[in-house]
Amino acid sequence: MISQAAAALALLVSLAGCYIAGSQAHFMDTGLPKAAFDMHCEKEKLTVTQLAHGSMGVQGCGKQGRYEFVNGGGWVLNSAEGLDEGK
């Protein structure tokens, strides 16, 4: 009985971790520094909008991008406008 309860608890903790990993709070801690680097814009000048769980829109310094959370890969820039791709 105890092993079933421990397994159930481990599953709940694991599922909660997946939810937290794609949250806006998680993006602010781990994704925003990447967005600031990608957009050549200070974090304080960026505006973050949660588009869906695991999907954030970021705008600032005349640029915008959409970041998606990928398990095992973190926050990844999915699309962007106004970024100088050639530089």
Side-chain angles (χ1 to χ4, degrees):
M1 184 72 166
I2 293 175
S3 63
Q4 285 180 335
L9 180 59
L11 177 62
L12 287 174
V13 169
S14 174
L15 291 175
C18 289
Y19 182 77
I20 293 169
S23 70
Q24 187 168 2
H26 182 254
F27 180 81
M28 299 303 283
D29 288 339
T30 63
L32 191 59
K34 180 180 180 354
F37 175 82
D38 291 342
M39 296 183 173
H40 305 280
C41 189
E42 296 175 26
K43 291 187 296 187
E44 297 77 23
K45 294 182 180 180
L46 295 174
T47 302
V48 177
T49 304
Q50 184 167 0
L51 304 174
H53 180 72
S55 180
M56 302 293 160
V58 182
Q59 295 178 307
C61 299
K63 303 164 188 155
Q64 71 177 27
R66 185 177 71 234
Y67 286 82
E68 304 289 335
F69 183 76
V70 177
N71 285 327
W75 292 97
V76 177
L77 181 60
N78 187 293
S79 69
E81 292 181 24
L83 296 180
D84 295 331
E85 300 293 335
K87 292 185 178 182

